[in-house]
Amino acid sequence: MAELPPLTPCDGLLPVETGRLRLTEVTPGHITSLMPGPGGAAALGKALETAHGLGWPDPGRAVLGADAAVVWTGHDQAMLMGPVPDASLAEHAALTDQSDAWAVVTLSGADGPEALARLVPVDLRPSAFPEGFAARTLLGHMNVSLVRTGPEAIRIMAFRSMARTLVHELRQAMEGIAARRAG
């Protein structure tokens, strides 16, 4: 019987480098949806801090660690990215493994906000969207989650089924910025 190696969502599509921009795939480890019950975010935050060294994010924010993150994704919703969730978290929230459901990429370079301005209705300049900020929005016609992870880096999460479209849309925007700079 043939062994089939697992493929990442953007396998064969990335990395892409155009002009002053680079698009790379991120392998974030486990992705777990965290949904505390009404009023349970504070208790979950304490449990997250104890188990993983990261607290519960405020709306529109992410708590970033060296090898883990807790990213706000909506009202009383966040994603734990990186580690397998500690079993103690289940006392405070519904946990759902989302690891195979998402394509995760990072757009890096000084022109990132300008390229994304062609696709996203959010001001992503560092002054308006600094490190640790998160947003749920549209990229073209796709639902995405955005997180600024560094001064010139924005992590983009889209549904795995949209990985090819995500890369296509971002590549076109990157090429448009590079052409404008060259012209």
Side-chain angles (χ1 to χ4, degrees):
M1 180 175 276
E3 288 288 323
L4 299 175
L7 299 177
T8 64
C10 299
D11 190 58
L13 302 173
L14 295 175
V16 171
E17 195 160 342
T18 304
R20 302 185 326 176
L21 292 168
R22 181 168 174 77
L23 185 64
T24 55
E25 186 167 22
V26 175
T27 50
H30 283 82
I31 302 174
T32 306
S33 172
L34 307 172
M35 297 182 70
L44 178 57
K46 289 178 185 174
L48 278 164
E49 184 70 41
T50 300
H52 298 290
L54 303 167
W56 184 256
D58 289 331
R61 302 292 189 271
V63 181
L64 304 173
D67 296 319
V70 182
V71 178
W72 173 87
T73 56
H75 180 69
D76 285 339
Q77 295 179 14
M79 296 279 192
L80 173 62
M81 300 178 70
V84 173
D86 189 84
S88 66
L89 301 182
E91 298 172 27
H92 307 285
L95 309 178
T96 308
D97 184 5
Q98 299 282 314
S99 301
D100 290 336
W102 296 92
V104 185
V105 300
T106 294
L107 180 63
S108 56
D111 291 337
E114 190 175 349
L116 286 170
R118 296 168 175 239
L119 301 167
V120 176
V122 176
D123 184 353
L124 297 174
R125 293 173 299 150
S127 59
F129 196 79
E131 190 170 339
F133 272 47
R136 284 293 299 262
T137 187
L138 293 174
L139 187 147
H141 65 282
M142 295 171 284
N143 289 306
V144 296
S145 174
L146 306 174
V147 177
R148 176 158 311 266
T149 57
E152 294 186 355
I154 297 174
R155 181 180 297 159
I156 305 161
M157 293 176 51
F159 296 125
R160 182 185 185 107
S161 62
M162 301 303 291
R164 186 170 299 278
T165 302
L166 176 68
V167 171
H168 173 79
E169 295 289 332
L170 289 168
R171 180 190 298 251
Q172 279 192 316
M174 292 165 65
E175 290 170 352
I177 296 299
R180 196 176 89 205
R181 293 231 183 269

